[in-house]
Amino acid sequence: MPDEDRIQRVTMPKWGLSMKTGKIVDWFVSEGDTIAKGDDIVDIETDKIAGTLESSVEGPLRRIIAEPGSDLPVGAVLAVVAPADVPDAEIDAVVEEAKAAIESGALEEGDEPEPQLVEVGGRTISYLSLGPEEAGDPVVLVHGYGGDKNSWLFVQQPLAEDGHRAVALDLPGHGASGKDVGDGSLQTLADTVTGFLDALDIGRAHLVGHSLGGAVIAAVAKAAPGKVASLTLIAPAGFTPEVDAEYLRGFASASSRRELKPLVGRLFADEALVTRQLVDDLLRYKRLDGVDKALTAVLGTLLGEGDRQAIDTPAILAGVDVPVTVVWGESDRIVPVPDGVELTRVRAGHMPQMEAAGEVLGLVKARL
Amino acid sequence: MFIDFMGVCFDQIFNQAAKFRYMFGGHAVTPVVVRTMWGAGLRAAAQHSQSLLSVFTHVPGLKVAAPSNAYDAKGLMIAAIRDDDPVIFAEHKMLYDTSADVPEESYVLPFGEANVVREGGDVTIVAIGRMVHTALEAAEELAGSGVQAEIIDPRTTSPLDVETILESVENTGRLVVVDESNPRCSLATDVAATSHRTRSGRCGRESSWSPARTPRCRSPTPRGPVHPGRAKIAGAVKTAVDYAR
C-alpha cells in the first residue's frame, strides 16, 4: 500500500448547520499514542456547544497540528495518524499541506447543505437531508418537545459521512416549520411524520426519535408498520408516569434568558455544555409568533392529570412488529430511566444524542 | 425624521399622545409609533447629529426603543406597533447599513428586557445603539490586557431593565456607561445614579465599586472628535478597574 493511503487525517467536524469554525480546547491524547476508533481525542468548542470529538480513525498519532486555543474552520486537519514506518518527511509534508489549506481560507467556502420546505397536510415542514439519496432505507430523525433538527448535530452529519441518507425534520410548531399544530395531539404529530415520509417518497425508513419524538415515531410505527424498518427511541416520552412537569411548564412559559437558562441546564448531565448561544437560539425560537400557542397545545399532549405523563408509549408499541432499540441517559432529570425495560444506559442527561453521541450513533448504525 | 426636528411636534408628543390614556381614565389609547433617526457620525452638522433619547425617556407615558442591530429592530418594531401606548422608535443613522440574521417570521422582543451582549466578570459596560458596537470593540481590546467586560444593551430606555444592570454591577462591582448624548441629565447620569444601590436597596460600598461615564463633551456640534470612541471607553474601563482593584 502506498504511504499516502496509510496516512489518516483527523479533521474539524461539522456539528450542525451553522458551524463554520471550532475552537480546540484540550487534547486527550499525545503524539506517539496509539488511538482507536471511538476514543475521545479532543474537546472542541463551537459558538453553539462544546463537545468531544471521537476518533474515526485508528493507529499511532504521529502529529498534532491544532494547538489548544486555536479557532479552525470545519474540515481543517487537526492531527495526523499513520503507522510508525511511514517516514517523518511524509508526515511533515501532510502537516505543511494542512497548514497551507487553513491559511489559504479555501476551507471556509464550499457548498452548504440548506434546509428545504415541504407541504404536509396543509402544514409547512422544514427538513435537512444529508447523504446520498440512493443509499437504501434512510434514517429519519425526529426531535423532542421544544427542539428542532439541530438536536441531531452530532449524529446526522456522521451518518451521512458514513454513506447513509439522514433526514432531520422540524415537527409542526417547532424550528423553521409552520407554527400551526392543530390540536397538538400525538396523532397529529405522527400523521405529519407519516405524511412527510410520503411527501419525500420514502417508502421505508429507520426512525430515530428523542423524547416526545420517540413517542411520535412509536405512533407512526403503530399506524404504518410497513414504513418503518426500525425504531431507535432516545429517552422517549411515555415510559414512566413521572416527568419533570416543572421543566415542561417552565419551558413553555419562559420568555427571558434568565428564566430559560436554568431550565435548559436540566436537560444535560454536564450543565457546562449549555452555551449562551444555545439559550439565545431557543429564545429566538420562543419569540416567534405562534410558538407560544403551539408549545401550550403540545404540553397538553405530554402532561396529564396530576402532572403525570399522558402518553403510554409501551401500550402504543404493543403488537407492533418492528425492531426497537431504547437508549437512556443514566442522569436523565426530565424523564427518569424506567424499570423493566430492555435499554442501553449511556453517560448523559436527557440529551444522549448530544452528550453520548458516539454511543447513540453506534446504536443507530447497528440497525442499518 | 431627524430626532433634532422633533421639537416641531413636542406638544402633540409630550402633552397629548403621552397623556391621553391618563386624561381619559384609560378609555383612550394612543397606539402610535414615531420613527426617528438619531446619533452622530454622518458629519451632518449641529442640527442633524444629536442624541436626544433622554428628552423622550424623561416623559412618563412615552416608551422609547433604540435598537442596536437588525434582529432587535424587527422584534422591537413589531412590539411597538402592537403596543397601545405611544412609542418613540429611535434608529441610529450609522446602523442602517449593518446586517444580522433576521427570521422571515414575525416575532416580538419585549420592551424593558436588556440584552447581555457579552459576558464578563470585571466591569459592566452599559451602552445603547451604535455605542454597543464601539463598546464591543473596546471590550475585545481590554480582553487582551486581561480585563473581561460585560456589555449590556438595554434596547429600550423606557421602560429600562434596571434589574439586569444591577445584577451585573453586583457581580462586577464596576460600571461604565457609554452615552452619545450631552453629559447632563443623560442616560449615563441616570444609569450611574440608579446603579448606586444594590437590588436589595442598600447603597453600594464606595470602596468596592465605581461608576465611570463616557458621554461626549458638552458641545453644540456633536461630531467625531468629541464622541466616545473605542480608546475613550477602554480608558474609562481602566480607570474603573484601577479604582476598585
Side-chain angles (χ1 to χ4, degrees):
Chain A
M1 194 190 288
D3 283 348
E4 175 55 29
D5 292 349
R6 299 162 66 209
I7 297 175
Q8 295 174 294
R9 294 162 176 80
V10 177
T11 56
M12 178 64 74
K14 184 165 176 62
W15 288 332
L17 265 185
S18 63
M19 178 170 168
K20 301 270 191 291
T21 64
K23 186 175 172 185
I24 303 294
V25 180
D26 207 5
W27 285 92
F28 300 127
V29 289
S30 310
E31 289 180 5
D33 289 353
T34 296
I35 55 177
K37 283 187 185 179
D39 280 358
D40 287 349
I41 53 174
V42 59
D43 263 353
I44 294 171
E45 198 175 273
T46 76
D47 55 4
K48 301 274 187 226
I49 193 154
T52 304
L53 179 66
E54 295 179 2
S55 181
S56 58
V57 300
E58 57 193 349
L61 182 66
R62 296 290 295 273
R63 203 67 56 81
I64 289 177
I65 302 172
E67 304 275 345
S70 54
D71 217 351
L72 297 168
V74 168
V77 178
L78 309 179
V80 185
V81 172
D85 60 337
V86 174
D88 273 340
E90 291 188 29
I91 304 290
D92 288 341
V94 172
V95 170
E96 287 313 311
E97 181 189 295
K99 286 183 176 165
I102 292 167
E103 274 163 31
S104 71
L107 292 166
E108 279 143 57
E109 291 148 27
D111 291 333
E112 293 284 316
E114 292 280 338
Q116 291 168 281
L117 299 175
V118 63
E119 288 290 315
V120 178
R123 297 189 170 90
T124 305
I125 298 298
S126 170
Y127 69 98
L128 177 70
S129 178
L130 298 181
E133 295 218 355
E134 62 285 356
D137 293 340
V139 180
V140 174
L141 305 154
V142 183
H143 62 80
Y145 181 64
D148 63 24
K149 49 180 154 0
N150 288 315
S151 318
W152 305 106
L153 77 177
F154 297 127
V155 173
Q156 190 180 11
Q157 182 75 24
L159 281 170
E161 281 170 9
D162 217 38
H164 306 286
R165 184 184 183 199
V167 185
L169 73 148
D170 291 337
L171 288 170
H174 290 76
S177 287
K179 299 302 176 291
D180 163 45
V181 295
D183 60 2
S185 68
L186 194 62
Q187 190 66 48
T188 301
L189 299 176
D191 288 349
T192 305
V193 173
T194 312
F196 173 77
L197 297 177
D198 292 342
L200 264 66
D201 275 332
I202 296 173
R204 212 166 73 120
H206 296 276
L207 300 183
V208 179
H210 170 240
S211 197
L212 167 67
V216 169
I217 62 171
V220 171
K222 173 95 170 178
K227 290 183 186 296
V228 182
S230 73
L231 291 176
T232 302
L233 310 178
I234 302 168
F239 270 79
T240 56
E242 296 80 30
V243 63
D244 184 351
E246 190 185 78
Y247 165 80
L248 291 173
R249 281 189 213 294
F251 184 86
S253 66
S255 62
S256 68
R257 186 187 284 144
R258 197 178 294 138
E259 292 169 287
L260 200 54
K261 191 169 181 214
L263 290 169
V264 176
R266 288 193 205 180
L267 291 170
F268 296 89
D270 177 8
E271 298 202 7
L273 287 174
V274 180
T275 59
R276 278 171 57 76
Q277 193 63 45
L278 190 77
V279 177
D280 276 357
D281 286 352
L282 277 171
L283 263 184
R284 281 181 170 229
Y285 156 68
K286 293 209 70 214
R287 287 181 186 130
L288 294 172
D289 278 3
V291 167
D292 200 26
K293 195 176 160 200
L295 287 177
T296 303
V298 177
L299 184 65
T301 297
L302 287 166
L303 276 187
E305 272 182 41
D307 277 352
R308 298 168 91 75
Q309 293 206 58
I311 300 170
D312 185 347
T313 306
I316 296 170
L317 287 172
V320 176
D321 187 23
V322 166
V324 179
T325 304
V326 183
V327 53
W328 226 290
E330 60 189 12
S331 316
D332 196 323
R333 288 180 274 173
I334 308 297
V335 285
V337 186
D339 294 325
V341 177
E342 193 182 323
L343 54 82
T344 304
R345 281 172 186 255
V346 293
R347 290 185 65 182
H350 188 58
M351 306 291 282
Q353 73 278 32
M354 286 185 159
E355 285 187 286
E359 282 158 291
V360 169
L361 194 58
L363 290 166
V364 172
K365 281 187 189 170
R367 290 289 182 195
L368 304 181
Chain B
M1 67 180 177
F2 286 95
I3 204 165
D4 313 69
F5 305 159
M6 294 272 272
V8 299
C9 40
F10 267 10
D11 179 62
Q12 290 85 341
I13 294 171
F14 288 167
N15 222 21
Q16 308 304 329
K19 303 294 193 292
F20 278 167
R21 179 190 282 279
Y22 307 94
M23 294 298 288
F24 299 103
H27 295 294
V29 293
T30 320
V32 61
V33 181
V34 180
R35 288 182 62 198
T36 179
M37 195 161 59
W38 70 291
L42 265 191
R43 307 185 69 78
Q47 293 179 330
H48 303 77
S49 302
Q50 298 177 83
S51 300
L52 301 173
L53 290 190
S54 53
V55 173
F56 299 93
T57 305
H58 183 74
V59 179
L62 292 180
K63 291 178 178 172
V64 182
S68 67
N69 62 76
Y71 174 82
D72 288 0
K74 178 172 172 177
L76 291 169
M77 176 55 84
I78 292 173
I81 291 168
R82 292 179 185 175
D83 199 302
D84 273 346
D85 289 319
V87 175
I88 305 299
F89 199 89
E91 303 163 11
H92 198 292
K93 56 176 76 73
M94 299 309 287
L95 295 177
Y96 280 125
D97 64 351
T98 61
S99 60
D101 285 337
V102 179
E104 291 281 333
E105 296 163 273
S106 294
Y107 58 92
V108 164
L109 268 185
F111 276 36
E113 191 183 302
N115 186 22
V116 182
V117 179
R118 183 186 196 279
E119 283 177 349
D122 296 324
V123 60
T124 302
I125 301 179
V126 175
I128 199 155
R130 182 193 182 194
M131 286 299 118
V132 174
H133 304 277
T134 316
L136 270 169
E137 288 171 18
E140 291 310 317
E141 183 182 312
L142 288 160
S145 54
V147 175
Q148 290 300 338
E150 182 146 292
I151 300 179
I152 296 179
D153 173 5
R155 297 198 281 217
T156 58
T157 58
S158 181
L160 179 69
D161 184 355
V162 174
E163 182 75 8
T164 296
I165 297 171
L166 292 185
E167 194 175 278
S168 176
V169 173
E170 278 186 355
N171 183 35
T172 61
R174 303 179 184 101
L175 170 69
V176 170
V177 190
V178 187
D179 191 0
E180 280 189 69
S181 58
N182 287 306
R184 301 291 301 278
C185 301
S186 64
L187 182 69
T189 52
D190 181 56
V191 170
T194 304
S195 302
H196 211 281
R197 61 181 172 85
T198 62
R199 277 184 298 162
S200 56
R202 288 178 292 117
C203 265
R205 282 175 296 135
E206 275 296 330
S207 60
S208 68
W209 77 281
S210 75
R213 295 174 284 125
T214 65
R216 62 182 185 79
C217 312
R218 190 169 172 82
S219 159
T221 55
R223 288 187 297 160
V226 296
H227 231 66
R230 187 183 64 191
K232 193 170 178 185
I233 296 170
V237 166
K238 281 175 186 149
T239 304
V241 169
D242 289 341
Y243 178 86
R245 206 177 265 287

